[in-house]
Amino acid sequence: MTTATEAITEYRSWAVEEFRAEEEPYYVPVSDEIEVFEAAWNSKIPVLLKGPTGCGKTRFVEYMAYHLNRPLAVVRDGKTEIEAETNLPLVTVACHEDLTASDLVGRYLLEGNETVWIDGPLTRAVKAGAICYLDEVVEARKDTTVLIHPLTDHRRILPVEKKSQLLQARDGFLLVISFNPGYQSALKDLKQSTRQRFVAVEFDYPPRETEAEIVQHESGCDYDVALNLAKMAEKIRNLREHGLAEGASTRLLIYAGRMIAEGVAPRRACQVAIVWPLTDDGEVQRSIEEVVSSIFED
Amino acid sequence: MTAQLVEEAREGLRQFPPALAQEFESALEAVQPILEPDELAEWLRDGLEIARHSLRSWEASSEYFRASGPVLEQITYDRMREWCAVGVDLMETSPALSGALFRASPAVLPHLSVPQANDWASQGKSLYKGTWKSGSLSAQYFDVSPQILPHLPLSQMRLLVDLIDSLASHSYELASACLGMAPGVLSQLDRADRAPFLEFGGIVAHTAWVDARVYFERGPGALRQVGEEQRPRFLSLAGQVAMQVGRLGHPYFIESAQAMSEVEKDIHEGLLELAEQLAQHSGDAAMEFLKSSPRVAQRLGIDDIARWQEFGLQILQQSRDGGEAFFRLESARGEEVMEALSSRVDLDRVSELIRMYCKALTGVDVGVKASEELTAKGVGWVDESSPTTEGTTIYLPENVERYPTKEENFSVYKVFATHQAGRLEFGSFEYQSQLDPSLFPSPQNGTQNGHGNGVAPAAVEGQEGEIHTDMELFFDQFEDRRLAHDLFTIVEDTRIDTIVKREYAGVRRAFSRLQQAAIDRRRPVEGMPARQAMVENLLRASLDEIGRIRWPNELAEEMRTPLRILNRIRNDGATVQDSAAATALLYEWLSQIPNVELDSEDWSDFEQEMNADPDGGEDSDMMPGSGSSGLEESFMPFMPGSEERPYDSPDPVDFRGDFKPELVQLLMKLKGETGTGDAPPIPLTKEQLQELLEKSVEISINELMDMDLAESSGMFLDNLLKEVNQIQGERQEGQQAMGDDSTGEDDGAELPVEAASFYYDEWDFRAADYKPRWCRVQEQRGESGTSNYYTETLHEHTQLVQETRKQFEMLRPEMFRKMKRLTDGEDYDLDAVIEWYTEKIAGATSETKLFYRRNKVDRDVAVAFLLDVSASTDEEIQKHHDQRQDDQFDDDPRKYLSWWAQRRAEAARHPGKRIIDLEKEATVLLIEALETIGDKYGVYGFSGYGRDNVEFFVYKDMDEPFGDRIKERIDKIAPVRSTRMGPAIRHCIWKLQNTDAKVKILMLLSDGRPQDHGYGRDRTEKEYAIHDTKMALTEARREGMVPFALTVDRAGHDYLKQMCQDMAYEVVADIESLPRRLPALYRRLTG
């Protein structure tokens, strides 16, 4: 995986559109999101993933990419015959506020005496028929919507302005964007004209037991520890909007779980993996630490 | 021969007034039997000599004669001669003194030996300076000596005399008054204190003589407040300090003595020792230290005080002012150190922390407040030291100082909070009568004489629209509500504690510690009547202390069943319904136990196998009346014929605090937050409510006050309704405020808004530290006038308005800025490409920065505009004109002309504008400009008097939309009082902090230097205020804001330079240009 604005050399050395997961990514479905996604992919409707950070959006896309198969001929059922044509490539772009349309589409680069066109990640995904995952899409510049719109309706077309080309997306291509409604300021809301081109899958942190299971699996810690971590996360998430911008993500829980599995004392592990990353506000830190110390004995 | 001599003497005395002769005769009668003839001759001669010595010496002689008799009763004639020689000597100085000496002699002699006479006299003599007043003072000395000497040895008399002498050099009246008071004063003092008292008095007389009288009047009283042994030491310290600080010495003495009275006497010695160390560096610091000691001692033990003092001493050595502020408790560092040393944990320091903690646990917005606040509301809670909750807020004691370390004390808070939060989290107040318990058999079928759990709430509520809380219905089932309530409390607390310990393993240890402590404090069970003992034992069991249950062995079986019932509540999945069911079972059981004296010798520890039997056996075990119905009979043998005793509730358990489920449900119901979630809030008549309250056992009204029930419950009722109305009022207000925001044209009258208070630190540059919470800023909305003013001003400045608007509109296109010559960007920059290509063809290697990027700069500016509305802005600007100098125009005639033309035009229209008028005009113009550009802005004014009354007027708040209301408020901007800039700036910073914007500007417009009452060491000092203001501006900058100071004071350069240093400021010399200048400046600042 890579992002568009990282060093240019990475474009050359990394065939973006060829990235695919080799092992099955671990994902525990919380509800029917898998079925919804499959249906969307089958019917070529782009997907909007909503949810707080670290709740598994990216992992979900990876999981889906692994399980979905590019339809070869007339086969419509993507679930069967996984070995046949391997899974879908996945192009992930982490959007940031300086990400422009040309970062996605591609640009001419000077090389010696000539200019060379380099496809951007989106173009590559369109050509390869991959899933293109634009993470935190509202962060990107508004001109990116110009690209998203024609790609997301029935046309499935990517205009490459600088080359005066239109690219028709290959079968299998699916645009997936993610969006964290709680986290952005009101200025960075997704426009209605954009929103209404997607089916939306809402994510939230999984319920306690599921989350514990995930944490246990990912971190290798005991189930009891994982359950306590999940319980603690539940408590910390109660502080959202009250001193905390975001609750403790599953990802942080996994980090904490790993630290504990490595032998770090639980309270300390939570401090370094959860409390400190979450906030710089001393008071809030103290409160969370009190929650931690209430749940974990040392 | 004797007779002849006497006759001669009589003859000699005849030339004097007859009074002398009379005195002589009576004296003669007294002495004749005592003296030998030759002695008598001598005596006569001496008397005559004295009389003849000078003009008025006959009076002295008369005193001599009068004293002779009594004196001779005490000493021999030879001795007396010796004694009198002293008086005779004194004749040379003043016969009056001599007379006074003789007069005092008989009374003094018991206290003095004859050889001391000289010393005594010479001290008196030293007061005599040859004047009439000094003479009478000196005479007074002899007169009071008899009363003084019993209290003061002659050797120490010198101290008093010096003191009086010193006072006399200023005022004889004062000296004489003090001398007169001296006997009384000395008699009040302990012997050992007298000399030090006089020594300090001497210093007072020296340094602050006017205080001497007060010292004599109040000193002994003040001194008594200091520990007995320490008084001399304290006095000598006070003296040492007074030498340094002069006039302040005495007030320090009185105040610090007063302060010491508030401290335990046994640490006085330690305190003095510490103060003495300080006195070597600064007398002020030493006394301030003592003055602060009561507050410090509240928080710290003496050892920690020493550490605290040591820290302050270090500061003192670096900076006197800093150290003194430290000990005056006016420095943030002082507080910090104290906080760090103290093991006490104060609620206000941790309330936010605990609030968030509880919010995290419960997931609802709970408040955390001091228990006092709840008891003060008078809605049914009375204990101000125990934790409790009324459903929305957790109330905790103000501070905890139970253990020697902060951590341990905090953990006490944590346990308190966790238990209360547990009640909320695990639903203690959510009892619903129609729900069934999960662990217990629903006791519906087991109802006897009306007991049972199955009163259908709907049926009851149907009657006359009455409402009842489910909790109330539940308790209604029981004859003895108190017992039911006690049992429910025990059961429910057991349930909560068990869940808390299971869910929050980390607090288990702290919990157990408090449980242990709670049980250690309990009264012995032995001797309690049976039912009460059983309840007490249940409570002990609920504290996890089966081992501490004491119960007669013979009756073990009777105890076992209730314990088993209680234990069942500990099982996973128990709800408040189970608690209720368990309560019903327990009640059933316990109400069969007569509350009689247990006449058993065999109280023993109660061993139960219950831990091994978590399921508590069969359900049938618990059902009263099934199997063991013969209970009462089996009980009887052990309590033969004893009387039933009244039942007392068990002592409360501190960490569990007050539990008032019935009241909480009632409150929630009244507030419209029905715990049961069924009905909308039903308006309740006062009578219904009163009935409800009177029934509630939790409000044991009779115990609280000596009022009749109706009256006191009526008071509760009023409070309760007030509380509920307040909440509803807030809610309505909130809705209204929201409506305002959305429509912006709500023309309803504004609600009168009380001033909200904010506290801010103030910078003390001498101490190089903040004075904590020093200033109180009272925020209030500006008054409203009419909006005409605004329109008129716009009209008056039509041209200027248009100009400014245009200028501001021009700011907009700047929002997109093309950044060129980037290595990467949106597209090629054609110029750069051509250049690059040419250079390439020419063979030169060139940079490849060929791209451009359009950087969209969102204009995201917020400005807080702070107007000085102090009294000085009332001045007409004419005065400023007179001072005007030509050099402002840099010899530019155009500038001058434009000014002149403008000025003439202005003058023709409006003669005599005041500074405030121009400030207002400038504000109007700026608002007009800001509205064009769409920046967020707030307009505020400040004034005030003194540190606790900084007025902060809001003319337009940051998020308030502009409209007629704002216009009306601007109309009423008017000069008020002083200029304490620091806190106003800090409040503005706070306003800006709560505003979301990339660029934040704080613009301060003033007409002069900051000044206020107490804003500096004294009236004339300017440094302090300037330093504080400077610090406030620096704070703004630290917060990433752009502070900008603007003044119309032509002398502004001196202090603005100091105040702003490297920050931007401007002196608008020509004040009339302010309306034009201000928007221009703003544009420059944000452009």
Side-chain angles (χ1 to χ4, degrees), chain A residues 187, chain B residues 804-813 815 857-863 925-938 956-962 995-999 1001 1082-1083 1086:
Chain A
L187 294 170
Chain B
T804 337
R805 243 188 230 157
K806 200 176 285 172
Q807 284 168 340
F808 270 72
E809 270 162 8
M810 270 158 55
L811 279 176
R812 296 202 149 196
M815 289 178 193
V857 186
D858 281 323
R859 193 177 164 87
D860 190 9
V861 180
V863 57
L925 282 166
L926 190 72
I927 287 182
E928 208 49 31
L930 288 169
E931 283 298 323
T932 319
I933 200 168
D935 288 356
K936 279 173 232 164
Y937 65 99
K956 179 192 171 300
D957 220 339
M958 280 292 178
D959 46 4
E960 230 174 320
F962 180 69
T995 308
D996 188 27
K998 268 188 198 148
V999 182
I1001 298 170
Y1082 182 74
R1083 201 159 51 89
T1086 62

Side-chain angles (χ1 to χ4, degrees), chain B residues 4 19 43 70 113 203 494 506 536 599 779 792 891 941-942 1039:
Chain B
Q4 192 193 340
W43 179 74
S113 67
I203 297 169
T494 310
E536 171 70 23
D599 192 20
E779 183 183 314
E792 277 162 25
D891 293 331
F942 72 99
E1039 292 293 331

Side-chain angles (χ1 to χ4, degrees), chain B residues 342-360:
Chain B
S342 160
S343 66
R344 184 172 90 176
V345 179
D346 291 288
L347 183 63
D348 54 354
R349 288 209 176 239
V350 295
S351 63
E352 185 56 20
L353 177 64
I354 294 178
R355 191 186 66 75
M356 274 191 279
Y357 171 76
C358 294
K359 158 116 180 102

Side-chain angles (χ1 to χ4, degrees), chain B residues 240-259:
Chain B
Q240 193 189 343
V241 171
M243 301 278 253
Q244 290 178 39
V245 301
R247 290 211 49 185
L248 284 175
H250 182 256
Y252 268 152
F253 162 77
I254 296 286
E255 288 164 19
S256 54
Q258 171 63 32

Side-chain angles (χ1 to χ4, degrees), chain A residues 8 98-100 102-103 107-110 112-113 115 141-143 162 185 187 208 228 231 234-236 238-240 242-243 267 283-291 293-298, chain B residues 349-350 352-357 359-365 410 414 418 425-426 500 502-509 824-828 836 840 848 850-851 853-856 858 860 996:
Chain A
I8 287 165
D98 279 337
L99 187 94
T100 62
S102 46
D103 291 331
R107 57 163 56 92
Y108 284 107
L109 286 182
L110 279 172
N113 277 336
T115 51
R141 294 261 195 129
K142 294 287 171 278
D143 60 353
K162 285 170 187 162
S185 69
L187 294 170
R208 192 190 285 187
N228 271 336
K231 176 161 65 181
E234 225 171 67
K235 304 294 175 197
I236 296 175
N238 283 335
L239 290 175
R240 259 191 280 182
H242 291 269
R267 285 184 183 180
E283 187 108 285
V284 184
Q285 278 185 357
R286 264 298 296 282
S287 323
I288 302 175
E289 274 174 16
E290 291 306 333
V291 176
S293 68
S294 283
I295 291 175
F296 287 100
E297 277 179 294
D298 243 9
Chain B
R349 288 209 176 239
V350 295
E352 185 56 20
L353 177 64
I354 294 178
R355 191 186 66 75
M356 274 191 279
Y357 171 76
K359 158 116 180 102
L361 294 198
T362 59
V364 291
D365 266 321
F410 179 77
K414 200 169 161 183
T418 311
E425 187 182 358
F426 307 116
V500 162
R502 188 163 56 221
E503 288 287 304
Y504 305 114
V507 286
R508 240 181 253 165
R509 199 179 310 152
D824 185 17
E826 288 170 37
D827 207 342
Y828 291 114
W836 172 78
K840 191 171 169 57
T848 52
L850 306 180
F851 294 88
R853 178 188 288 267
R854 262 179 318 203
N855 241 4
K856 188 175 166 197
D858 281 323
D860 190 9
D996 188 27

Side-chain angles (χ1 to χ4, degrees), chain B residues 498-668:
Chain B
T498 312
I499 303 182
V500 162
K501 282 170 143 185
R502 188 163 56 221
E503 288 287 304
Y504 305 114
V507 286
R508 240 181 253 165
R509 199 179 310 152
F511 238 98
S512 305
R513 183 171 182 180
L514 284 186
Q515 283 185 338
Q516 191 67 43
I519 205 144
D520 285 345
R521 270 196 300 273
R522 302 208 66 78
R523 280 185 294 168
V525 195
E526 291 92 332
M528 287 186 187
R531 192 188 302 157
Q532 204 170 323
M534 196 172 257
V535 174
E536 171 70 23
N537 276 334
L538 279 173
L539 196 141
R540 291 181 177 211
S542 87
L543 289 169
D544 291 346
E545 291 287 341
I546 303 293
R548 299 290 279 270
I549 293 175
R550 310 270 294 152
W551 187 249
N553 250 352
E554 317 90 81
L555 299 173
E557 213 37 60
E558 274 65 41
M559 191 69 230
R560 196 157 283 137
T561 307
L563 285 176
R564 205 173 284 144
I565 296 172
L566 180 68
N567 209 32
R568 186 146 232 225
I569 205 72
R570 294 174 185 271
N571 286 349
D572 219 347
T575 65
V576 70
Q577 308 301 134
D578 294 306
S579 291
T583 303
L585 289 174
L586 285 173
Y587 184 89
E588 200 74 15
W589 185 270
L590 266 91
S591 57
Q592 293 175 49
I593 307 277
N595 199 29
V596 292
E597 205 78 51
L598 281 172
D599 192 20
S600 168
E601 293 300 308
D602 198 14
W603 289 86
S604 63
D605 289 352
F606 190 79
E607 294 299 336
Q608 178 129 6
E609 68 285 3
M610 54 196 313
N611 289 331
D613 182 23
D615 288 333
E618 293 298 305
D619 281 349
S620 60
D621 268 17
M622 299 182 193
M623 292 309 295
S626 61
S628 54
S629 55
L631 183 95
E632 227 157 314
E633 285 149 44
S634 72
F635 234 71
M636 292 323 282
F638 298 97
M639 357 181 152
S642 48
E643 252 177 75
E644 184 101 8
R645 294 232 316 233
Y647 166 76
D648 270 340
S649 294
D651 296 340
V653 177
D654 62 347
F655 73 91
R656 290 173 172 175
D658 281 350
F659 183 48
K660 300 189 185 296
E662 202 172 345
L663 202 48
V664 171
Q665 281 205 345
L666 179 64
L667 264 175
M668 290 207 266

Side-chain angles (χ1 to χ4, degrees), chain B residues 413-479:
Chain B
Y413 262 132
K414 200 169 161 183
V415 170
F416 284 0
T418 311
H419 184 82
Q420 299 302 329
R423 285 182 183 166
L424 298 176
E425 187 182 358
F426 307 116
S428 290
F429 304 115
E430 284 160 24
Y431 171 75
Q432 295 180 45
S433 43
Q434 63 270 55
L435 286 189
D436 281 336
S438 59
L439 295 176
F440 288 85
S442 187
Q444 223 155 332
N445 46 5
T447 43
Q448 307 172 351
N449 51 10
H451 294 168
N453 208 12
V455 185
V460 182
E461 275 190 45
Q463 294 167 11
E464 306 152 32
E466 279 181 55
I467 62 155
H468 296 274
T469 62
D470 289 358
M471 208 68 240
E472 183 201 353
L473 291 176
F474 172 73
F475 284 128
D476 275 349
Q477 304 167 62
F478 306 104
E479 204 175 315

